[in-house]
Amino acid sequence: MEKKVLIVYAHQSAGSFSAAAKEAAVEVLKAKECSVEVSDLYAMKFKATATAEDITGKVKNSEHFRYAEETKLAWDEGRLSADITEEQRKLQEADLVIFQFPMYWFTVPAVLKGWFDRVLTLGFAYTKEKRYSNGIFKKTKALLSFTTGSQETMFSPTGINGDMNVTLWPLQNGILHYCGFQVLAPQIFWAPEDAAPEGRSAMLAAWNTRLQGLLDEKPLFFAPMDWFDCEKSFQLKPESVEKCVQEFGLTAGTHCGNHCRLITR
Amino acid sequence: MEKKVLIVYAHQSAGSFSAAAKEAAVEVLKAKECSVEVSDLYAMKFKATATAEDITGKVKNSEHFRYAEETKLAWDEGRLSADITEEQRKLQEADLVIFQFPMYWFTVPAVLKGWFDRVLTLGFAYTKEKRYSNGIFKKTKALLSFTTGSQETMFSPTGINGDMNVTLWPLQNGILHYCGFQVLAPQIFWAPEDAAPEGRSAMLAAWNTRLQGLLDEKPLFFAPMDWFDCEKSFQLKPESVEKCVQEFGLTAGTHCGNHCRLITR
């Protein structure tokens, strides 16, 4: 069956390496008979800031405006703004979502953070019952594809920036896995601006190759909900602690399933 | 001497717990004869998205617009937009910066991410030579003060969200320490919306108490630049690895200096 792909793309310039990586994904995936939609956030002038204007009509409590509760209510009643509703439609239809961006300050640029803040609303993207391995998007795959300014060695466990898995934890676990997405390994383009033209071409060629089999990749491992006591404290059950320490380490190590272990003192 | 404090505040509502925490800081610090400025990002309708409009006059390369390079040049020539220049002035004058926000998706709301993206420009806030413990803001203290939606147990090393130190790593190390700031321990208000009124009052009272001595607090420990080989790979020097593992653990554990250790396989 035809697969649907959404690319959420955040770079200001069509001449950028990020643009080339996005174009490669569009081409390869279309050739594989996927239908591909691109949300080009800068071109769309996508609103980044979460405000009461995201709700059509009256808010429930303007004196004490609470974004999550107000957007939950608006979503229930079909009163989210048109731009949010449109992104939610694209996301709901997608089998795979690729986020293509340059890393800004160890995470996504503000315009993409705004997409997460405004599109992944309570009710639509998660509830207290439906999150992590019980999450709403558990049938959807998601992938962070990004360029860095730093060289790879700086982001190693002994590098000055620390392990990239730690840096990606809030994005991969806190946003994507939290909403249930099957998180594919990140596609990291290390410092393309410092690379020679051949180096950049080689990075794009590797991405092209990976794109061929992307839809069949196995997602990263995250400790499932039933390893935790989800009635009360959301702590690892005693019998799971042992599994985590032996197999993956805790927290960052647990869920990334590779590279590093985190143990408590 | 009179100390200057900048509070960068990001909540939509004056009735929020975040607003009360911000007000407490203004009151206590003014009573201690600090001069206090507040950047109320939502009220200011602070622009979150990094675009060519942040530069007055011509950009160098509109075909291939690169934000860091273009804003570096504009900063050199005094051509950054007025809103960025004004925030840079406030930051430059401050002895202490408090970021007050509700945690959105394991990090800051987009409007505050936009403040980081747009205000902390290359040249003004960091250069290749001046970063981390050699950073430009090494005489300035900075502190994340925020509310969570989750209970504290969820953010422990054995909790489903993982260790809060890991979640804060990109912000505390990747942004604040990267620019040289002395990072004070985060002020975390755990799930005030789920607390009873007395619980919220107790949280504010504890913050009030902490604010009395805030300017004299010792910052968190981060492994200093000279523990790394900063000529080439930015890897920990062999003699520093031992120190890290014994004293603090690597990466997250290294720099937070507490709570957790991260060791490689």
Side-chain angles (χ1 to χ4, degrees), chain A residues 2-5 91 93-97 139-142 215:
Chain A
E2 185 195 64
K3 296 282 186 184
K4 293 200 172 190
V5 180
L91 188 56
E93 292 177 0
D95 298 293
L96 167 68
V97 190
K139 291 191 177 155
T140 312
K141 290 177 176 168
L215 282 154

Side-chain angles (χ1 to χ4, degrees), chain B residues 20 32 36 42 46 55 123-124 199 213 223 225 240-241 245 253 261 265:
Chain B
K32 293 184 77 67
V36 182
Y42 288 98
F46 190 77
I55 294 147
F124 169 74
M225 284 291 266
S240 315
V241 172
V245 173
R261 285 182 171 206
R265 273 189 175 153

Side-chain angles (χ1 to χ4, degrees), chain A residues 66 158 193 235 247 265, chain B residues 66 158 193 235 247 265:
Chain A
R66 296 157 76 195
T158 49
E193 294 204 350
Q235 292 288 301
E247 295 298 319
R265 274 192 173 153
Chain B
R66 296 157 76 195
T158 49
E193 294 204 351
Q235 291 289 300
E247 294 299 319
R265 273 189 175 153

